[in-house]
Amino acid sequence: MERHINKVAVLGSGVMGSRIACHFAGIGIQVLLLDIAPKELNDAEKKKNLALDSPVVKNRIVNDALQAAVKSNPSPVFTKDVVKRIKTGNFTDDMNKVADVDWIIEVVVENLDIKKVVFEQVEKFRKPGTLITSNTSGIPIHLMTEGRSDDFKKHFCGTHFFNPPRYLRLLEIIPTPHTDSAIVDFLMHYGDLYLGKTTVLCKDTPAFIANRVGVYSIMAIFHIMQEMGLTIDEIDALTGPVIGRPKSATFRTADVVGIDTLVKVAKGVADNCPNDEAISIFKIPPFLQKVVENNWLGDKTGQGFYKKTKGEGGKEILTLNLGTMEYGPKQKAKFASIEAAKPVEDLKQRIKVLAASSDKAGQFYQQFHAYLFSYISHRIPEIADDTYKVDDAMKAGFGWEIGPFESWDLLGVEASVKNIEEKGLTVAQWVKDMLAKGNKSFYKIDGGKKYYYDVASKDYKLVPGEGQFIILENLSNNIIWKNSACNLIDIGDGVVCFDWKTKMNTIGGEVLEGLNKAVDRAEKDFRGLVVGNEGTNFSAGANVGMIFMLAAEQEYDELDMAVRFFQRSTMRLRYSSIPVVVAPHALTLGGGCEMSLHADKIQAAAETYIGLVELGVGLIPGGGGTKEMALRASLEYKEGRIDEEPLKDYFMTVATAKVATSGFEGYDMGILRKGHDEITMNPSRLIADAKRSVIALADEGYTRPVERTDIKVLGRAALGALLAGVYAMRFGNYISEHDQKVANKLAYVMCGGDLTEPSLVSEQYLLDLEREAFLSLCGERKTLERLQSVIKTGRPVRN
């Protein structure tokens, strides 16, 4: 049967349940969120003389939980209005409503007996064929189906989301022996395409895949730390972004997740996996036990391995000394190899440099990799039959940029086996068999596709889903042009992709040179062009360092040329003879946003944080962004009357340096165009979706647009209103004097200058105004101070 999900019931409104409900609402699904009814009144309810059977009281737990979720940071919703899709209720009065849903997700407390009671209630009302899944992170899935009907068992599965479900991409799918294979296939596909998840098929083993390997990694790090005499600050410096792991590294991650949760998973593995060869690593060390006894459980209790305090200098983060169990100031970790490796932009090369180092950091990496590689080798086929599942789970669930088997390949399988055995550890026999057969790696790339070593057949097989994704890294043989910053890659079917790799993917001269070359080649030899990359961020904007250097040295002619080049490049995207689709994701700021604004179509990732942020550094958008905002306001003016509201909205978006908190919010800001630009939920599909959009535009008979000479600008009338608004903000002390000066320049450009009446102007007219304003602000001392602050600290100074 063709299965459609229109309505979902989420049973349990705690931290996970409420946020899972928000994520489904975010993709357009109607959600029924239920929880238990309170057993006693609170003080506020007593004062109002409410009774326990009052609807307000009965839904208090679920409503309070949902409100807390919506107010939390980071937000669990793409836009605030999606909460309207969530209806709340309680198990007592509203369980019968599950008869109307297509998928029931249980997210109650981690207690098998309680879950069984909930499932018994569900079966009274659930219609046959309805999906029923559990979000458990530790209870064996098969135990939950005891006593249930055959139809229930057939449609039941584990669906383990990771917290926060909007941002962490892993969805572990855990079937039971009774689960219909068609249900498993549906959940794998739906989670990927609609929920934007990396769906990983898991076995019903303790902690499944990600938590089994992830918690082992953390416990192994604790073990090595004590062995080597390292501190919390040193460990978090060693295990964070420098090796492609999240900023939270090890100890901060434990604080965020909850130290009690970490201990619970570790104990669960120790208790339920007696044959695990590394079971001793899961033994809780004394310092960890002491932290739990003190109820220092991390963020949930206000302190854990770290503690935030308020001092004379403002907020300060203190670090726990595991020897004295006292908090003290954070100490900057100093390792020569870390300092030497930081400038190495390529993560894979950086990891190689670090792992080969001879200092204490290098010794740590060698020891840690020995533990990790040994452990994952023994988990095949216990927790997963295939290596790629372990890698996918760790990348999507724990935020590792490179999976553990991928890391092993990177450092050399044979060399690492030698290191493992020298450390007194073992590797699984299948790894030795693989090497003995002449296969030296777990993965290989062939024809732009990724293959994995299949342990069962002892041969390589295509990684599932490779046909649906376009992974630029795998297409190195398809590069048709490159410079030191950019690649132009043939991605098939007459489409090329322009990709670049710079620090934070900033845009400088080489990137713009590449962009123009990409359009030229695409017009000559291809059907269309995708502009996209696989960096952590799409682009943090223009190269601020270059702007500051030219401005500080008063090289205004060169600066003028640079701004003109940027403007010509974005206009080249707009007025090429082939369709151009830009595929932004994550941070897409300043120049990255301007690049997107000039595309024929934007194919954005759901997690796209896009905006024109130049006002924050004392400038206005100078790569066509200010012009584009004026143009879009013009398109919204009503025929026959002057309407300043659209202009005010676009002006405020730029003047406040507003950044969309999701691709969906980009629609509300007018950066993405409703009914035209599209959003991709799963970022792994982004380049492939952008390619599909290019082909669709080409198939529709794409014709080069005609440059606009009919942009309606409002002149003095609107300019006076905008300047008055800016003055009021300054008078109220909401902005600084320099903010006022910059905002006034922005208003001048967006109104088309000091025109006596509304007029029709060309894009070039507005670009010239934009460039003049940008250059004049580059001569301001306070703008230079802001630019210098961004270069030194990453943030502009407020002046």
Side-chain angles (χ1 to χ4, degrees):
M1 62 176 286
E2 188 69 28
R3 186 177 292 275
H4 301 284
I5 303 298
N6 299 310
K7 192 171 184 180
V8 168
V10 178
L11 310 182
S13 65
V15 170
M16 282 301 294
S18 56
R19 286 159 178 78
I20 289 172
C22 286
H23 190 61
F24 273 93
I27 66 167
I29 302 294
Q30 294 292 315
V31 181
L32 174 66
L33 179 62
L34 305 181
D35 211 321
I36 58 172
K39 294 181 178 177
E40 57 184 37
L41 299 172
N42 62 25
D43 291 340
E45 290 162 347
K46 288 174 183 176
K47 284 182 181 178
K48 294 178 181 177
N49 294 317
L50 295 172
L52 274 175
D53 61 355
S54 164
V56 174
V57 175
K58 277 195 161 182
N59 290 342
R60 183 227 308 155
I61 291 174
V62 67
N63 287 334
D64 286 355
L66 181 58
Q67 288 306 309
V70 172
K71 291 176 183 176
S72 65
N73 187 26
S75 174
V77 292
F78 294 121
T79 58
K80 297 294 184 188
D81 63 337
V82 306
V83 181
K84 292 184 290 189
R85 299 193 185 111
I86 303 174
K87 304 298 181 189
T88 57
N90 61 83
F91 293 160
T92 307
D93 298 333
D94 303 299
M95 189 64 88
N96 63 318
K97 294 176 182 175
V98 302
D100 300 325
V101 307
D102 307 296
W103 183 355
I104 301 164
I105 307 175
E106 170 273 310
V107 203
V108 301
V109 294
E110 287 287 81
N111 180 300
L112 181 58
D113 292 335
I114 292 175
K115 290 179 186 292
K116 283 185 171 182
V117 170
V118 171
F119 290 139
E120 191 171 341
Q121 284 184 273
V122 166
E123 249 200 316
K124 292 177 183 176
F125 305 105
R126 169 188 167 272
K127 66 177 183 283
T130 302
L131 290 176
I132 172 81
T133 69
S134 172
N135 183 62
T136 183
S137 59
I139 298 173
I141 301 299
H142 66 277
L143 295 179
M144 299 184 200
T145 62
E146 292 175 355
R148 302 276 63 84
S149 68
D150 288 344
D151 187 81
F152 186 105
K153 291 178 180 179
K154 178 181 176 181
H155 294 90
F156 181 77
C157 194
T159 48
H160 182 211
F161 290 82
F162 275 60
N163 189 34
R166 171 184 162 184
Y167 300 96
L168 281 183
R169 292 180 53 202
L170 181 59
L171 175 58
E172 292 180 318
I173 306 294
I174 314 101
T176 76
H178 304 290
T179 310
D180 187 334
S181 61
I183 299 301
V184 176
D185 292 343
F186 174 81
L187 290 169
M188 291 287 289
H189 175 70
Y190 188 90
D192 159 24
L193 188 63
Y194 295 92
L195 294 173
K197 300 299 180 186
T198 296
T199 49
V200 176
L201 185 61
C202 301
K203 295 186 177 184
D204 194 1
T205 54
F208 311 131
I209 296 178
N211 279 338
R212 181 76 173 271
V213 176
V215 171
Y216 169 82
S217 299
I218 292 172
M219 298 302 287
I221 287 168
F222 290 168
H223 182 82
I224 298 166
M225 176 187 73
Q226 292 179 295
E227 205 174 70
M228 295 184 65
L230 295 165
T231 67
I232 286 177
D233 289 325
E234 287 175 324
I235 288 293
D236 276 2
L238 289 166
T239 58
V242 72
I243 59 165
R245 305 287 167 79
K247 286 182 180 178
S248 54
T250 300
F251 285 96
R252 179 75 190 107
T253 294
D255 276 0
V256 171
V257 171
I259 296 168
D260 54 335
T261 302
L262 172 67
V263 169
K264 184 179 177 182
V265 175
K267 283 183 174 177
V269 173
D271 292 343
N272 296 300
C273 301
N275 298 323
D276 189 315
E277 80 292 339
I279 198 167
S280 62
I281 293 294
F282 289 94
K283 184 180 178 183
I284 308 303
F287 77 81
L288 191 56
Q289 196 65 51
K290 182 69 175 173
V291 166
V292 174
E293 288 170 5
N294 290 348
N295 202 40
W296 298 346
L297 306 180
D299 289 3
K300 66 174 80 173
T301 59
Q303 66 188 94
F305 294 117
Y306 293 101
K307 179 181 180 180
K308 288 182 182 176
T309 61
K310 287 185 179 179
E312 293 180 5
K315 288 184 180 178
E316 184 181 8
I317 298 176
L318 305 178
T319 307
L320 183 64
N321 182 314
L322 297 178
T324 64
M325 281 292 154
E326 294 179 351
Y327 291 93
K330 280 175 69 70
Q331 301 296 317
K332 185 172 174 59
K334 294 180 181 178
F335 297 104
S337 59
I338 296 281
E339 294 307 311
K342 276 182 179 176
V344 181
E345 286 294 322
D346 186 285
L347 176 60
K348 291 181 177 180
Q349 291 305 315
R350 193 189 316 141
I351 289 174
K352 284 183 178 180
V353 169
L354 290 169
S357 303
S358 58
D359 67 348
K360 206 167 185 179
Q363 294 166 26
F364 168 83
Y365 290 125
Q366 290 152 26
Q367 188 81 343
F368 171 67
H369 284 126
Y371 274 97
L372 176 64
F373 298 161
S374 170
Y375 194 70
I376 58 174
S377 75
H378 290 292
R379 301 288 72 76
I380 305 288
E382 181 201 347
I383 64 174
D385 290 325
D386 310 307
T387 55
Y388 73 86
K389 292 175 182 173
V390 176
D391 282 346
D392 284 351
M394 295 312 298
K395 288 189 287 187
F398 277 74
W400 293 14
E401 289 186 45
I402 300 177
F405 281 105
E406 292 171 339
S407 297
W408 198 342
D409 269 356
L410 180 66
L411 298 178
V413 179
E414 280 187 297
S416 295
V417 168
K418 186 180 177 184
N419 176 47
I420 290 166
E421 292 179 338
E422 284 176 353
K423 298 285 192 291
L425 300 167
T426 62
V427 292
Q429 186 60 41
W430 69 265
V431 177
K432 293 183 177 182
D433 292 344
M434 180 186 85
L435 292 170
K437 202 178 176 187
N439 297 311
K440 304 298 184 185
S441 64
F442 300 109
Y443 298 100
K444 66 178 184 179
I445 305 298
D446 188 7
K449 290 185 168 55
K450 190 173 185 179
Y451 293 79
Y452 71 98
Y453 179 77
D454 176 52
V455 177
S457 67
K458 298 183 179 180
D459 202 354
Y460 289 91
K461 289 186 177 180
L462 185 66
V463 174
E466 280 288 298
Q468 298 158 18
F469 304 151
I470 293 175
I471 311 299
L472 298 178
E473 187 182 29
N474 296 346
L475 298 173
S476 57
N477 291 333
N478 292 28
I479 295 173
I480 59 174
W481 180 87
K482 65 188 293 186
N483 63 20
S484 63
C486 318
N487 295 315
L488 186 60
I489 305 168
D490 183 345
I491 58 175
D493 301 310
V495 181
V496 280
C497 180
F498 173 70
D499 155 59
W500 70 102
K501 293 180 179 68
T502 56
K503 187 170 184 178
M504 293 289 284
N505 271 358
T506 51
I507 301 167
E510 280 197 305
V511 175
L512 293 177
E513 174 202 356
L515 188 64
N516 282 276
K517 183 70 175 180
V519 176
D520 289 344
R521 282 296 298 271
E523 286 181 327
K524 181 172 177 287
D525 299 319
F526 294 89
R527 299 183 73 198
L529 171 68
V530 169
V531 177
N533 61 63
E534 292 169 345
T536 304
N537 298 296
F538 178 77
S539 177
N543 186 331
V544 173
M546 180 194 72
I547 295 170
F548 174 76
M549 182 185 70
L550 293 175
E553 295 178 2
Q554 298 184 14
E555 297 283 356
Y556 292 115
D557 287 342
E558 283 195 45
L559 195 55
D560 179 67
M561 286 174 59
V563 178
R564 285 178 189 270
F565 188 29
F566 207 133
Q567 289 181 338
R568 284 199 304 270
S569 300
T570 55
M571 291 290 280
R572 184 86 177 90
L573 290 181
R574 166 67 53 82
Y575 295 109
S576 64
S577 59
I578 41 91
V580 176
V581 174
V582 176
H585 66 275
L587 285 184
T588 304
L589 307 177
C593 178
E594 290 175 304
M595 198 182 277
S596 303
L597 289 169
H598 287 81
D600 292 300
K601 183 174 183 176
I602 298 174
Q603 185 77 45
E607 297 300 341
T608 298
Y609 318 119
I610 189 167
L612 297 166
V613 296
E614 288 84 352
L615 270 284
V617 294
L619 296 168
I620 70 166
T626 305
K627 175 270 300 179
E628 189 63 21
M629 290 293 100
L631 188 157
R632 294 193 177 192
S634 168
L635 295 174
E636 294 185 28
Y637 294 147
K638 301 293 188 293
E639 192 68 35
R641 67 185 179 93
I642 295 174
D643 188 344
E644 296 174 6
E645 286 306 313
L647 179 65
K648 287 180 181 176
D649 290 343
Y650 283 106
F651 171 78
M652 287 302 295
T653 293
V654 184
T656 57
K658 186 177 180 182
V659 175
T661 60
S662 69
F664 296 95
E665 196 169 281
Y667 286 128
D668 298 338
M669 290 168 54
I671 289 176
L672 271 67
R673 297 156 291 183
K674 290 180 180 177
H676 182 80
D677 297 323
E678 290 186 53
I679 288 176
T680 295
M681 285 300 301
N682 189 338
S684 297
R685 291 177 172 269
L686 186 59
I687 300 296
D689 284 353
K691 173 185 168 181
R692 173 183 51 76
S693 291
V694 166
I695 292 170
L697 288 169
D699 286 346
E700 289 166 7
Y702 180 82
T703 304
R704 179 187 184 277
V706 177
E707 291 189 38
R708 301 294 297 266
T709 57
D710 59 346
I711 302 170
K712 187 175 183 179
V713 291
L714 303 183
R716 279 183 192 171
L719 181 58
L722 293 183
L723 295 181
V726 174
Y727 175 80
M729 293 287 285
R730 173 68 190 125
F731 186 76
N733 209 30
Y734 293 106
I735 59 175
S736 70
E737 185 179 342
H738 191 56
D739 291 328
Q740 181 183 13
K741 178 178 286 188
V742 180
N744 286 348
K745 295 266 188 184
L746 175 70
Y748 183 84
V749 176
M750 290 188 70
C751 291
D754 189 23
L755 300 173
T756 55
E757 60 183 18
S759 306
L760 299 180
V761 300
S762 68
E763 286 183 86
Q764 191 57 53
Y765 172 85
L766 288 173
L767 286 170
D768 290 341
L769 287 181
E770 173 187 285
R771 189 177 65 259
E772 289 165 12
F774 185 94
L775 291 170
S776 69
L777 289 167
C778 284
E780 295 283 343
R781 178 178 59 81
K782 289 190 174 182
T783 291
L784 293 178
E785 288 173 358
R786 292 188 185 187
L787 291 169
Q788 188 174 37
S789 176
V790 168
I791 294 166
K792 285 185 174 180
T793 68
R795 296 185 178 187
V797 67
R798 301 313 307 159
N799 57 7

